[in-house]
């Protein structure tokens, strides 16, 4: 067979093994073409919620294709998009009354940033500075890299990235420093928006902070007219224990980004929700105030139908109870490493559990990740550590026995990596 022509994402082809071919997915598993079942402990990069190929979602996709495919969304509309927008407004934190569709998490964030700048400019008081939180991740496009943590992942593109103001991550016990810094940064009334991942910073290492910090950030932002953009691309759809993470802080952001779990992880779709104030700033007979943004596949009807089926599952099935049960199991099971010297910062928020492997002498951080990944794969487990951070972010259908198998492997893996050596 000739070599593959595929250039994989976030993959160093010079050093990484040839990836297994996945031929089938079902529930908590992906299955290789030679029949090996792999437990998807990271929900295929955080997108799968109920499980792979949730029957109701797949059925909705099948049905939708009988009447619709892509339809231009400027000047035309369709029922799946209309119904989904109404449902999202209903489910999202209060006050988010408008839904703008796009097709990936990154795009939903780009849309949010453009809305924020448009809001201030169209209201006659332009602001262009964006405040971000240290260790954040918002995507891999130029704009989203600009508002994300700088490092090896984006050093090559740094000349193109725009400047931002950064507040420190609210480390436990030093949350006030984050709030004070934010207050000082926006006092001049020039910051257009603060963008944050609510409660959990995903790609930055599954870093978790309390809801009251988020509530305080919102309160401070409001005082100086700075918009709050909640990037719920990863945290939405039950991942942190509530439908959206913002609920736990009792706040409504001005703009909210959702993608990943929006279609249950079946097909790509994203939405940026905005308040009426943000929409009104773009509502004018002056054409220059139009919100100038679109993607070709905006509001794809098949993707909207998949998302509607996801919404119906949340409405008709005890998903909230499943999420609560999984959250309890995660907290109980990962607790076994709480006093284990090979690990630090054992933590959970909702269905997400994470722990930092103490890398022993001579254990190079960069080498640990790929080694662990291979180790887990060998045991039929899909786990991708972020540096020395091991995390378990499973589909909600995962069983207690499957979690036990996962954590037993994490225990073994710590030996391999020479934990606390
Ligand atoms: C994954 C992610 C994104 C980017 O989403 P894509 O669909 O990969 O473009 C943005 N923000 C957060 C918080 C994410 O976790």
């Amino acid at each position: 067979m000739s070599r593959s022509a595929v250039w994989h994402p976030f993959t160093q082809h010079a050093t990484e093994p040839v990836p297994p071919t996945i031929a089938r997915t079902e529930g908590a598993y992906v299955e290789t073409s030679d029949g090996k079942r792999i437990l998807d402990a990271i929900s295929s990069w955080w997108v799968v919620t109920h499980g792979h190929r949730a029957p109701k979602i797949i059925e909705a996709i099948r049905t939708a294709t009988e009447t619709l495919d892509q339809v231009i969304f400027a000047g035309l509309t369709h029922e799946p998009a209309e119904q989904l927008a109404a449902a999202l407004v209903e489910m999202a934190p209060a006050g988010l009354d408008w839904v703008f569709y796009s097709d990936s998490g990154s795009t939903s964030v780009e849309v949010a940033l453009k809305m924020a700048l448009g809001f201030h400019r169209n209201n006659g008081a332009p602001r262009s500075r964006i405040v971000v939180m240290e260790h954040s991740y918002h995507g891999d496009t130029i704009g989203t890299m600009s508002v994300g943590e700088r490092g090896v992942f984006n050093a090559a593109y740094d000349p193109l990235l725009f400047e931002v103001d950064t507040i420190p991550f609210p480390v436990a016990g030093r949350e006030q420093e984050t709030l004070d810094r934010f207050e000082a940064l926006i006092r001049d009334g020039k910051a257009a928006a603060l963008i944050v991942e609510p409660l959990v910073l995903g790609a930055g290492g599954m870093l978790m902070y309390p809801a009251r910090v988020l509530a305080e950030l919102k309160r401070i932002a409001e005082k100086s007219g700075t918009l709050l953009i909640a990037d719920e691309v990863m945290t939405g759809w039950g991942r942190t224990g509530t439908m959206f993470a913002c609920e736990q802080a009792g706040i409504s952001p001005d703009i909210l980004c959702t993608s990943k779990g929006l279609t249950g992880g079946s097909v790509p779709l994203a939405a940026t929700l905005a308040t009426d104030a943000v929409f009104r700033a773009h509502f004018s007979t002056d054409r220059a105030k139009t919100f100038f943004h679109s993607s070709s596949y905006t509001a794809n009807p098949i993707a909207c139908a998949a998302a509607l089926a996801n919404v119906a599952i949340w409405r008709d099935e005890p998903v909230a109870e499943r999420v609560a049960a999984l959250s309890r199991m995660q907290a109980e099971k990962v607790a076994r490493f709480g006093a284990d010297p090979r690990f630090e910062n054992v933590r959970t928020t909702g269905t997400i559990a994470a722990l930092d492997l103490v890398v022993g002498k001579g254990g190079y951080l960069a080498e640990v990740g790929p080694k662990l990944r291979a180790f887990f794969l060998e045991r039929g487990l899909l786990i991708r550590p972020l540096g020395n951070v091991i995390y378990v972010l499973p589909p909600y259908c995962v069983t207690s026995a499957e979690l036990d198998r996962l954590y037993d492997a994490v225990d073994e893996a710590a030996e391999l990596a020479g934990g606390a050596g």
Side-chain angles (χ1 to χ4, degrees):
M1 198 180 93
S2 60
R3 68 162 185 87
S4 165
V6 175
W7 191 342
H8 286 269
F10 266 89
T11 299
Q12 180 41 266
H13 281 264
T15 55
E16 293 189 33
V18 174
T21 298
I22 299 304
R24 225 184 111 76
T25 61
E26 186 168 28
Y29 290 86
V30 299
E31 191 177 313
T32 64
S33 47
D34 50 9
K36 184 175 174 184
R37 273 157 59 83
I38 301 168
L39 181 59
D40 188 353
I42 57 165
S43 298
S44 280
W45 255 345
W46 321 343
V47 302
V48 177
T49 50
H50 314 294
H52 282 279
R53 283 195 308 119
K56 288 176 185 170
I57 295 176
I58 297 303
E59 185 54 36
I61 290 171
R62 195 173 287 131
T63 305
T65 59
E66 285 169 11
T67 49
L68 285 166
D69 64 354
Q70 182 63 31
V71 177
I72 181 174
F73 207 56
L76 297 177
T77 193
H78 49 75
E79 270 306 305
E82 292 293 337
Q83 288 175 24
L84 179 60
L88 290 176
V89 167
E90 185 78 19
M91 297 168 93
L96 293 164
D97 292 339
W98 296 91
V99 176
F100 191 95
Y101 290 111
S102 58
D103 44 25
S104 75
S106 299
T107 333
S108 73
V109 172
E110 296 279 0
V111 165
L113 296 171
K114 286 173 70 171
M115 281 178 177
L117 262 70
F119 169 82
H120 294 289
R121 185 174 194 267
N122 292 350
N123 284 344
R127 299 183 181 197
S128 56
R129 268 179 30 224
I130 305 291
V131 183
V132 309
M133 186 180 281
E134 180 193 17
H135 303 313
S136 293
Y137 175 82
H138 298 291
D140 282 326
T141 54
I142 297 294
T144 59
M145 281 192 295
S146 297
V147 295
E149 181 80 358
R150 308 294 167 94
V152 65
F153 298 111
N154 47 42
Y157 326 112
D158 196 65
L160 292 187
L161 306 187
F162 58 77
E163 268 180 50
V164 294
D165 288 322
T166 307
I167 56 172
F169 175 80
V171 176
R174 288 171 32 203
E175 292 91 347
Q176 197 56 42
E177 286 174 33
T178 299
L179 302 176
D180 291 346
R181 178 82 185 123
F182 183 47
E183 195 136 31
L185 269 177
I186 66 172
R187 195 167 292 139
D188 64 3
K190 287 186 179 155
L194 165 69
I195 179 164
V196 286
E197 296 167 81
L199 305 190
V200 185
L201 275 56
M206 293 297 158
L207 303 174
M208 302 174 182
Y209 65 93
R212 63 184 157 76
V213 174
L214 184 58
E216 277 301 298
L217 289 171
K218 169 65 181 164
R219 191 187 58 78
I220 295 166
E222 247 168 29
K223 278 197 304 189
S224 72
T226 299
L227 300 181
L228 178 69
I229 301 171
D231 177 356
E232 294 243 18
V233 169
M234 188 276 277
T235 52
W237 302 97
R239 197 41 85 183
T240 68
T242 44
M243 176 60 79
F244 291 103
C246 283
E247 290 169 30
Q248 294 178 45
I251 61 151
S252 290
D254 301 283
I255 301 174
L256 182 147
C257 307
T258 179
S259 185
K260 294 194 167 123
L262 174 56
T263 61
S266 58
V267 288
L269 183 68
T272 307
L273 278 64
T275 60
D276 196 48
V278 171
F279 177 81
R280 289 282 142 196
H282 295 85
F283 186 83
S284 169
T285 51
D286 177 359
R287 189 169 174 275
K289 292 188 173 180
T290 305
F291 186 56
F292 291 111
H293 191 95
S294 176
S295 331
S296 306
Y297 284 96
T298 290
N300 178 266
I302 297 159
C304 288
L308 271 172
N310 171 41
V311 168
I313 291 173
W314 273 90
R315 187 191 56 218
D316 302 336
E317 297 183 21
V319 183
E321 285 80 351
R322 268 177 224 152
V323 162
L326 174 56
S327 301
R328 272 195 305 277
M329 282 199 291
Q330 282 279 66
E332 281 164 21
K333 292 180 195 292
V334 80
R336 76 194 245 192
F337 302 110
D340 188 329
R342 300 171 303 165
F343 296 99
E344 290 175 334
N345 303 326
V346 177
R347 57 198 183 274
T348 64
T349 297
T351 70
I352 308 167
L355 63 178
D356 304 351
L357 188 62
V358 177
V359 180
K361 289 193 197 78
Y364 291 105
L365 200 59
E367 285 174 10
V368 173
K371 238 165 90 178
L372 289 173
R373 231 187 294 156
F375 169 88
F376 288 122
L377 201 54
E378 185 77 12
R379 277 153 189 77
L381 303 169
L382 184 58
I383 294 186
R384 278 181 75 96
L386 296 156
N388 67 323
V389 178
I390 298 178
Y391 69 91
V392 176
L393 192 155
Y396 305 155
C397 61
V398 76
T399 66
S400 174
E402 286 163 343
L403 285 178
D404 286 336
R405 196 156 81 74
L406 273 166
Y407 287 113
D408 286 347
V410 168
D411 200 335
E412 261 190 82
E415 295 305 317
L416 172 94

